[in-house]
Amino acid sequence: MIKLYDNYVFISQEGGESGERLYSKKFREKSVVDVSGLRIGEGLVVAAGPCSVENEAMILDIARSVKAAGADMIRGGAFKPRTSPYSFQGLAEKGIEYLVEAREETGLPIVTEIMNPEYYRYFDRVDMLQVGSRNAQNFDLLRFLGKQKKPVLLKNGMGNTAREWLETAEYILSGGNGNVVLCYRGVRGIENSTRFTMNVGSIIYAKSETHLPICADPSHASGRRDFVESMALASVAAGADMLEIEVHNDPDNALSDSEQQIRPVDLKRIIEKARALKDLLSHEI
Amino acid sequence: MIKLYDNYVFISQEGGESGERLYSKKFREKSVVDVSGLRIGEGLVVAAGPCSVENEAMILDIARSVKAAGADMIRGGAFKPRTSPYSFQGLAEKGIEYLVEAREETGLPIVTEIMNPEYYRYFDRVDMLQVGSRNAQNFDLLRFLGKQKKPVLLKNGMGNTAREWLETAEYILSGGNGNVVLCYRGVRGIENSTRFTMNVGSIIYAKSETHLPICADPSHASGRRDFVESMALASVAAGADMLEIEVHNDPDNALSDSEQQIRPVDLKRIIEKARALKDLLSHEI
Amino acid sequence: MIKLYDNYVFISQEGGESGERLYSKKFREKSVVDVSGLRIGEGLVVAAGPCSVENEAMILDIARSVKAAGADMIRGGAFKPRTSPYSFQGLAEKGIEYLVEAREETGLPIVTEIMNPEYYRYFDRVDMLQVGSRNAQNFDLLRFLGKQKKPVLLKNGMGNTAREWLETAEYILSGGNGNVVLCYRGVRGIENSTRFTMNVGSIIYAKSETHLPICADPSHASGRRDFVESMALASVAAGADMLEIEVHNDPDNALSDSEQQIRPVDLKRIIEKARALKDLLSHEI
Amino acid sequence: MIKLYDNYVFISQEGGESGERLYSKKFREKSVVDVSGLRIGEGLVVAAGPCSVENEAMILDIARSVKAAGADMIRGGAFKPRTSPYSFQGLAEKGIEYLVEAREETGLPIVTEIMNPEYYRYFDRVDMLQVGSRNAQNFDLLRFLGKQKKPVLLKNGMGNTAREWLETAEYILSGGNGNVVLCYRGVRGIENSTRFTMNVGSIIYAKSETHLPICADPSHASGRRDFVESMALASVAAGADMLEIEVHNDPDNALSDSEQQIRPVDLKRIIEKARALKDLLSHEI
């Protein structure tokens, strides 16, 4: 028997290859995921912060700035999955400590990436766990997260279809953890003028198939600072319930993703426009 | 020397492989293309109508409906490029005649696809010429259109990058015809839940590079009736100046593209939302 | 009634959306296309020559070299479809004249691209007409070629699926011209270390579906001189009946596609290996 | 200082973002990886066996068959990464036990997939560890394998470029384990007639950049039994040193990947042709 209550979902014993999925709209129209009091799936939630936590002063400074700009949550990478083994790999547990300080200073919940169940002990005080594109089909990690209660921000794999992305959520849901927010960060495509291909069709498809809230990441999808605003607005128009945006106080000298991080002043304008847009669409529907 | 005045652009004799492009923002911030009095590039213009003109009564009926729904222009295919030689290939010149009647009845300008300079004589009374995705790099056709004065709605090739799409416009501009509107209809990609991949990054890139107005075609990009609205809104949020939407009074029995044509009642709602959205964004900027 | 005899195929009046295709293996196991006595579909045929005919001396020189290297046919572009309107567009009819001289000198048949029925008069003395990737779905051009008798070398569109590629052949076959050789030149993909994506699966799929001979173009697929040999061999192993390879006597100073043209000395080695490979596979089967 | 001896590679302390890679041809022309006496990188090595180990009798039966057909190594999945959480997930440690029995019976080394360092204890007696496409950028797993001595068969991520694939090998090499064989299993692309896109350009690029041996997996790339032979031959022609092929004694009733597993009788023919081809190419070079 499948039961869904509150935000938790329990797997039926009858689940099967061709059975109903727990993420399906057949079970409910829309879920709201609660992250330390912040309700994702109602209005528009914005998480903002640097690609990587680089040091204590930097993350505290950015945290204050993004709060002032209107963000609801702080993002920052501590354990970093980098294409090259020689790139900056993050501050690890030290980075998480600094994020916790940033939360204490601002009162905003924090989200950061987990790459490995082995380090879960460091993520105790984190409000939301992010699964990155490179681990999107790391099924042992997903199964592990399915046994926790902490909310998960689950990115799509850069080579996955939208349907495969939904199936990754099922790994977490079927373990008993219904607190999943799907985050679209673009896929590989034929276009070379942006870092990834931002197929809004995938957001629209996901919205049509699942009750889970959908987040969009315009920073990775574009890979260009000057495209983040339009891509954020397009994502909200496509139905996104949340945005995750990379912000840095000195983007040109960032230790990672320098090209795509915006400044706090730009974040403020984007949040205002995106909220007005979300508001307009919800009134009209 | 390069001179641009009114909407016409004349090619310099110094044009070269690595030279400035006439489509570039270096020459002007924004162009407005005049189509029989309708100004594309100001506010949001909507062209709507069936994939194919199937008969006289049908196009007149749809023309009245899309006008009532708020559309500014009527679209309809007469010469049809079909993947299979055995599919319905359109009514050809007869189809254009019926479109002209639809214009006389409604007062709305008409846009229809031209596949071949040889048949240009039939397009005399058409207000705007469409170049489809399959002829997007038919350079002889583009050169021919560059020598005419009629406005052109130029779709991107389904396997082209955004930069290649801009280069196709250059073929028309460099011939002396500056009346080009670029229309993004999606590209091939890795996703299989939609007909094509709607990469809003390409619209954003095009807006950042060219002064030409940008149109979006959410019908072909999605291939699904229920996705057209969200895809239209996402395109406008990404910066589109125009939408081209397939509308049919009896979609299930359409002779082509049955899956993606919407009904007039849905068009009305989409136009209202899309205009409110365009309005919001233009006020906020 | 559908009748196939010699190499000519006549269309049935009962052709339909879901009907049998004339390219299908249901009608015959394998076709051989005769190009001025050269039989494509038996053994391995190699066409070689420059991307563009640049002048008389150059094409004569290359023609002699590729003949000496073992090529069966001379290729060279006279009417050139270039992404940019400012790139070298070919010598047009003059280029064809020089190609005809090259044939007279070497005795090898010539193949060159046609972009437009309007210029067909210049192609009278050409042995085989090439349709390029950018005109692969220019259906009016395909219909026109379907009414001629001359053999056609039909490239796939860079954004088309293998099935769509086969449908383009059907436009020619259904007009009455059965002399079609399909040429795979790669598609757009996610890889950026080569110019295009050389999906041998498309060659294999085409071989499994059609009786028409299959050619491969390793020059455009790779875009790199040093990759042409391995890509040519992989194509033959996948089942290609013909190779089309770009060769230049001074690649670094070529007026187009400089990066991917090989020298005659390399062509000799590639032909020898490719023929030995074809031989091996035909004996073993 | 970077030192390479035998098959082991030790990382320099001066490694850096833009530094030389240990996989680079700058360090050596070609590596041979020793797997329990089998030398990968010399001649053509073939690993064959079922997608999943389904039970003891089945794997023993297939092991005998693939040995008789000429295979050098046995493959079989025990821990299975499946897109859906409800699909058969493998026999886990029991599956590995049966594989070890198969090795004892045939004398052939075994290769099986590891998804998680946590279960490494079960892989003690395995000869070669496979990293699958879905964990190709699971960097913690790669770092862990870099600290072991066991040879690794490293598949490319289905959404990765060839350069990113090479970087994943660097994670293992830079940890001190030089026993890496790269395995190309296709990528996502625009083609829908095969399961994945088999871009031989990626194999050719990898061969041109790295001294590591290259394997190809024609089973996953094609997803179709009848395409495996041609795809295997094309891969060898492109330069592959090894093939990994899925073989089942009753493919239609396989618990996973039913469509793409071939029968032992077909394997025999493929191995004979592929070895003759490899032989031909090595003599000619």
Side-chain angles (χ1 to χ4, degrees), chain A residues 48-259:
Chain A
C51 176
S52 303
V53 177
E54 299 175 9
N55 59 61
E56 189 180 10
M58 170 265 204
I59 184 66
L60 290 176
D61 182 34
I62 296 177
R64 280 180 221 113
S65 300
V66 303
K67 184 181 186 183
D72 308 292
M73 198 186 302
I74 296 166
R75 68 143 282 148
F79 292 84
K80 298 291 304 171
R82 303 301 304 278
T83 300
S84 159
Y86 307 127
S87 300
F88 174 60
Q89 309 275 321
L91 299 182
E93 59 266 39
K94 211 72 194 156
I96 294 184
E97 262 178 51
Y98 298 152
L99 278 170
V100 171
E101 285 178 43
R103 179 181 54 200
E104 282 164 10
E105 173 104 6
T106 58
L108 301 183
I110 53 179
V111 56
T112 192
E113 178 164 353
I114 183 166
M115 292 163 64
N116 195 331
E118 200 187 324
Y119 300 120
Y120 189 64
R121 61 186 182 280
Y122 300 124
F123 291 78
D124 247 18
R125 290 181 297 166
V126 166
D127 301 283
M128 188 176 209
L129 302 168
Q130 180 168 306
V131 175
S133 186
R134 290 160 187 80
N135 282 308
Q137 290 190 306
N138 177 344
F139 299 126
D140 278 347
L141 176 61
L142 301 181
R143 275 192 203 98
F144 171 83
L145 295 174
K147 306 224 180 72
Q148 317 307 317
K149 297 276 180 246
K150 257 191 218 304
V152 177
L153 187 64
L154 178 60
K155 300 215 170 175
N156 66 301
M158 66 181 79
N160 287 142
T161 62
R163 173 66 197 251
E164 289 172 329
W165 179 32
L166 293 175
E167 292 292 292
T168 64
E170 192 73 6
Y171 268 92
I172 302 175
L173 298 177
S174 66
N177 184 355
N179 293 313
V180 176
V181 177
L182 288 157
C183 182
Y184 186 72
R185 46 79 75 213
V187 287
R188 277 278 148 72
I190 69 168
E191 181 56 53
N192 55 19
S193 64
T194 49
R195 188 172 174 195
F196 290 96
T197 282
M198 185 65 165
N199 181 9
V200 287
S202 296
I203 294 177
I204 298 168
Y205 173 78
K207 288 293 289 184
S208 77
E209 293 286 321
T210 185
H211 53 84
L212 299 171
I214 308 291
C215 176
D217 168 355
S219 304
H220 284 86
S222 62
R224 287 179 58 158
R225 208 171 297 159
D226 56 336
F227 283 13
V228 171
E229 177 173 324
S230 295
M231 222 174 246
L233 296 176
S235 304
V236 172
D241 303 291
M242 177 178 171
L243 293 170
E244 187 184 27
I245 299 178
E246 287 192 349
V247 179
H248 198 283
N249 44 9
D250 182 13
D252 292 334
N253 294 304
L255 293 183
S256 55
D257 283 355
S258 163
E259 294 302 318

Side-chain angles (χ1 to χ4, degrees), chain A residues 27-39:
Chain A
F27 292 112
R28 47 165 70 179
E29 181 51 32
K30 189 154 180 37
S31 289
V32 172
V33 171
D34 186 298
V35 179
S36 308
L38 188 63
R39 293 179 63 77

Side-chain angles (χ1 to χ4, degrees), chain D residues 91-104:
Chain D
L91 298 182
E93 59 266 40
K94 211 73 194 156
I96 294 184
E97 263 178 49
Y98 298 152
L99 279 169
V100 171
E101 286 178 43
R103 178 182 56 200
E104 282 163 11

Side-chain angles (χ1 to χ4, degrees), chain B residues 5 39 52 63 66 106 167 169 172 175 241:
Chain B
Y5 58 88
R39 294 178 62 77
S52 303
V66 303
T106 59
E167 291 292 292
I172 302 175
D241 304 291

Side-chain angles (χ1 to χ4, degrees), chain B residues 13 71 85 88 112 118 142 166 176 208-209 256 269 284:
Chain B
Q13 299 306 312
F88 174 59
T112 193
E118 199 188 324
L142 300 181
L166 293 175
S208 77
E209 292 286 322
S256 54
R269 192 185 61 251
E284 279 197 318

